[in-house]
Amino acid sequence: MKQMNNSEVPKPSDFIREIITEDVRNNKYDSRVHTRFPPEPNGYLHIGHAKSICLNFGVAAEFGGLCNLRFDDTNPSKEESEYVESIKEDVRWLGFDWGDRMFYASDYFEQLYQFATELIKKGKAYVCDLSPEQMREFRGTLTAPGRESPYRDRPVEENLGLFQRMRAGGFPDGSRTLRAKIDMTSGNINMRDPVIYRIMRASHHRTGDRWCIYPMYDFAHCFSDSLERITHSICTLEFEDHRPLYDWFLDQLGVYHPQQIEFARLNLGHTVLSKRKLIQLVGEGHVKGWDDPRMPTIAGIRRRGYTPEAIRNFCDRIGVAKRDSTVDMGLLEFCVREDLNRRAPRVMAVLRPLRVVIENYPEGKDEELDAVNNPEDPAMGTRKVPFSRVLYIERDDFREDPPKQFFRLAPGREVRLRYAYFITCTGVVRDENTGEVVELRCTYDPATRGGDAPDGRKVKATLHWVSAAHAVGAEARLYNALFTKENPGEESGDFKTDINPDSLETLENCFVEPGLAGAAPGSRYQFERLGYFCVDPDSSVDKPVFNRIVTLKDTWAKVEKTIKGEAKK
Ligand code: ATP
Ligand code: MG
């Protein structure tokens, strides 16, 4: 591994990087930096995990170190290979590489068993016969100390024998545990003789039925870190109270000892970031799956069309702190918009079509007009868009009886069709039964080709449009927040009561430029004036399906403040 000299050490930008900078300077761990990202494969990763991934892989890269991917698979009842595969895909998609360092805590089961045996031999662990209910009763509370188990002083030999028989399948599930012998009066409940091993006959996704005892997370985690010679074990704040236990296990056996450092987890408004809750949304059919574009999962936001660059940028902006806070969804969308503005080609699409007939445009004629692909990037060039006598415009862009501030199309009014001509509305056609306007009759001014009047006359609005004869029929899926409350369930106690019934609006009769026929799933575009859209895998050859990634303007009330605050920094 590359070692750094002091002049190469990057300038710290948060307290974790400060700690690591100091450690490198002081030659702690021989100035190595080796982190890990340790997901439990019991669900898909979410945007909160992205923060941890960016931090662990990011720090390692900045300090010339390494980052491992380790599956913390110590709880067979909830873990599945499907989740392992999704996690690998998501980490790779975010742009990170674990090289040949993909590990499983289950790889260490034998070694962990030996560590537990060592603890027993040192008189630091014992087999306890208390039932789960009794154990809870003996544990005490935050204000009352716990009581010692009557099995606490079993002789070492007896403990060794019982532990072996636990492994051999000699006892029923839940009938015994192996516990650390620490301090039942500790102010930190985690130190009150925590369980290290439990008996559980459950098939493990990797070790099958080889084991019927499984190590607890706290025990497996610190030793996994130690075995992999991790230097900085970065985790979220809820593990702060577990750090004394992390240190205790490693100190008892005198093995290599990484430094645990805690940071505040990401909370995001109007969504939930907890696998337990996300599993319910999927399992109970509130969404269409883990990769439903409304989900805050990496798979969901990938399908929606977010870019890895935008997510990494978001993680940089929110930074790393010691105190919990909730980040506004607007900031995430701001990062997505900023990235797509640079990269996404512009196209014209009409989501809610209103038919327009240009009465003085010859029937059967069509022509190709030049359109700019991205005003932000001239290198992206231009394209041709077809124009003809019958067009679609956005229904919202016409008002029969326009209010004062409405400058778009209305009877008698002239507007510009983007890249095309000035048109004037001369009449409307109504549905005989409902009276609804179903078609506009217009005239165009041939002298305004390209969108400018040679006589210098101005119009107050420019509309997007598509040529009816050339357009491709499409479906658009418009997503809104999955929850109506910033902190779902805060008031009711049940996050599901705050699910937004209008989180998905499907428009099946949209039209897009012919150039989008057959667009590959995952391609992203800006639909002019409407938002950024991404081709969904549900698309068929003759009907593309577009997910709205994000609107063009912020629709989240508080974001202005957030972004202005950012800009001032
Ligand atoms: P969840 O609460 O969603 O079940 P978890 O913490 O149980 O998450 P793990 O698979 O154990 O999920 O998490 C892997 C790593 O990701 C851990 O180091 C954890 O601290 C980190 N992590 C999980 N959620 C967040 C979050 N919201 N923000 C930052 N890091 C997170
Ligand atoms: Mg966890």
Side-chain angles (χ1 to χ4, degrees):
M1 190 190 308
K2 185 179 160 229
Q3 306 241 321
M4 317 193 72
N5 59 44
N6 287 352
S7 63
E8 280 178 291
V9 175
K11 208 167 140 262
S13 51
D14 57 59
F15 79 97
I16 290 185
R17 288 167 168 93
E18 262 164 36
I19 293 171
I20 297 178
T21 303
E22 268 310 291
D23 288 349
V24 168
R25 206 168 270 147
N26 295 330
N27 246 346
K28 196 174 171 190
Y29 305 113
D30 304 327
S31 298
R32 282 185 313 121
V33 174
H34 199 152
T35 56
R36 83 286 172 269
F37 172 63
E40 184 181 350
N42 61 348
Y44 279 58
L45 297 182
H46 53 63
I47 180 88
H49 292 112
K51 174 174 177 176
S52 175
I53 293 168
C54 290
L55 179 60
N56 279 295
F57 281 93
V59 157
E62 288 159 36
F63 287 85
L66 298 171
C67 180
N68 297 356
L69 173 62
R70 182 200 316 138
F71 292 101
D72 241 315
D73 56 350
T74 51
N75 183 3
S77 62
K78 293 192 203 149
E79 293 156 3
E80 288 173 27
S81 317
E82 176 196 345
Y83 298 139
V84 169
E85 291 314 310
S86 76
I87 289 168
K88 282 156 63 178
E89 184 182 354
D90 291 349
V91 174
R92 248 186 243 119
W93 179 76
L94 278 172
F96 299 104
D97 183 5
W98 54 87
D100 56 358
R101 295 174 316 282
M102 184 179 78
F103 302 111
Y104 293 87
S106 56
D107 292 339
Y108 310 134
F109 278 173
E110 185 59 44
Q111 180 74 61
L112 292 170
Y113 179 83
Q114 297 306 331
F115 283 141
T117 304
E118 286 291 301
L119 275 184
I120 296 173
K121 285 184 185 157
K122 288 182 184 291
K124 298 293 181 182
Y126 60 96
V127 173
C128 181
D129 302 357
L130 291 182
S131 68
E133 299 77 50
Q134 289 171 317
M135 211 170 318
R136 219 168 293 132
E137 205 189 301
F138 276 65
R139 189 163 46 208
T141 63
L142 283 173
T143 47
R147 279 180 293 140
E148 294 187 351
S149 159
Y151 306 98
R152 197 172 197 261
D153 292 318
R154 270 185 167 141
V156 168
E157 284 310 315
E158 189 181 332
N159 281 320
L160 285 173
L162 286 171
F163 189 46
Q164 264 169 27
R165 284 173 62 197
M166 277 170 64
R167 174 181 185 165
F171 307 113
D173 285 12
S175 62
R176 286 190 157 93
T177 55
L178 182 71
R179 297 175 68 179
K181 192 169 177 177
I182 310 180
D183 178 6
M184 288 307 292
T185 63
S186 172
N188 181 345
I189 291 184
N190 295 304
M191 300 298 274
R192 294 183 190 170
D193 291 11
V195 172
I196 308 177
Y197 268 88
R198 58 197 161 149
I199 305 172
M200 180 164 59
R201 283 167 181 80
S203 256
H204 186 276
H205 74 118
R206 298 191 77 238
T207 58
D209 296 322
R210 213 173 311 150
W211 293 88
C212 65
I213 56 171
Y214 290 96
M216 301 302 286
Y217 174 84
D218 281 323
F219 182 77
H221 193 83
C222 60
F223 285 112
S224 302
D225 281 350
S226 175
L227 289 166
E228 292 175 20
R229 301 192 76 72
I230 299 303
T231 58
H232 301 85
S233 177
I234 303 170
C235 60
T236 36
L237 279 182
E238 67 269 26
F239 291 102
E240 196 164 12
D241 290 346
H242 296 240
R243 179 161 21 102
L245 183 55
Y246 184 102
D247 292 337
W248 187 89
F249 281 131
L250 297 174
D251 288 343
Q252 294 312 308
L253 296 188
V255 295
Y256 172 85
H257 196 145
Q259 169 72 50
Q260 176 177 308
I261 309 172
E262 308 86 16
F263 70 99
R265 65 196 290 117
L266 168 65
N267 299 305
L268 197 56
H270 292 95
T271 191
V272 291
L273 294 183
S274 143
K275 279 184 276 190
R276 188 178 55 78
K277 292 179 181 167
L278 296 174
I279 283 173
Q280 288 179 59
L281 291 177
V282 174
E284 296 170 16
H286 300 289
V287 294
K288 289 176 193 158
W290 284 102
D291 68 345
D292 186 304
R294 292 166 292 183
M295 290 280 275
T297 51
I298 307 290
I301 59 190
R302 172 170 60 233
R303 180 163 180 178
R304 173 121 165 209
Y306 285 23
T307 60
E309 290 82 355
I311 295 168
R312 293 200 303 262
N313 186 260
F314 169 72
C315 291
D316 272 354
R317 273 170 198 264
I318 57 176
V320 182
K322 262 286 186 196
R323 183 135 25 102
D324 274 316
S325 65
T326 298
V327 176
D328 197 278
M329 188 68 89
L331 182 60
L332 176 57
E333 294 196 350
F334 172 82
C335 295
V336 172
R337 221 175 261 128
E338 187 182 55
D339 185 35
L340 293 177
N341 183 42
R342 265 190 313 246
R343 306 200 306 178
R346 274 57 170 168
V347 293
M348 292 196 284
V350 174
L351 299 185
R352 296 173 181 88
L354 176 60
R355 208 174 125 92
V356 172
V357 177
I358 313 284
E359 292 185 309
N360 58 340
Y361 195 90
E363 260 179 86
K365 174 180 170 176
D366 58 27
E367 63 187 304
E368 302 232 285
L369 300 166
D370 289 314
V372 174
N373 287 334
N374 189 348
E376 300 287 320
D377 181 6
M380 287 172 74
T382 60
R383 69 186 183 288
K384 300 282 186 193
V385 286
F387 185 88
S388 64
R389 182 177 151 91
V390 181
L391 312 169
Y392 292 116
I393 64 165
E394 209 67 58
R395 188 161 275 281
D396 280 357
D397 282 338
F398 173 79
R399 287 286 194 88
E400 204 174 0
D401 191 10
K404 244 194 167 151
Q405 292 302 308
F406 186 90
F407 298 117
R408 290 166 274 165
L409 200 56
R413 188 178 287 174
E414 186 171 54
V415 297
R416 176 189 293 111
L417 293 182
R418 183 111 160 120
Y419 303 123
Y421 296 97
F422 283 13
I423 60 164
T424 304
C425 178
T426 53
V428 301
V429 178
R430 290 170 201 286
D431 180 288
E432 272 177 23
N433 301 316
T434 65
E436 190 197 8
V437 174
V438 291
E439 184 182 294
L440 303 183
R441 309 301 287 190
C442 295
T443 56
Y444 85 118
D445 177 356
T448 56
R449 191 173 198 272
D452 279 312
D455 63 2
R457 78 181 186 277
K458 300 279 182 237
V459 286
K460 282 197 170 145
T462 301
L463 312 185
H464 61 273
W465 54 275
V466 292
S467 162
H470 303 86
V472 173
E475 176 179 320
R477 298 175 182 170
L478 310 184
Y479 302 104
N480 297 305
L482 190 48
F483 293 92
T484 52
K485 301 268 168 65
E486 177 172 31
N487 188 356
E490 189 178 31
E491 284 155 44
S492 64
D494 176 7
F495 76 102
K496 284 180 284 185
T497 58
D498 294 328
I499 291 179
N500 178 6
D502 301 316
S503 59
L504 168 62
E505 185 182 358
T506 303
L507 301 175
E508 304 205 19
N509 300 309
C510 312
F511 291 101
V512 299
E513 286 183 15
L516 296 192
S523 323
R524 304 179 186 92
Y525 301 92
Q526 184 195 98
F527 287 0
E528 293 216 26
R529 301 176 63 224
L530 296 173
Y532 293 97
F533 287 75
C534 180
V535 182
D536 190 84
D538 281 350
S539 298
S540 63
V541 179
D542 40 80
K543 188 151 188 184
V545 175
F546 291 93
N547 295 315
R548 184 170 70 196
I549 308 170
V550 64
T551 52
L552 288 183
K553 289 209 188 81
D554 175 42
T555 49
W556 301 85
K558 276 190 295 183
V559 72
E560 281 301 319
K561 267 191 269 163
T562 325
I563 295 165
K564 279 186 199 139
E566 273 297 316
K568 270 193 232 125
K569 272 213 305 214

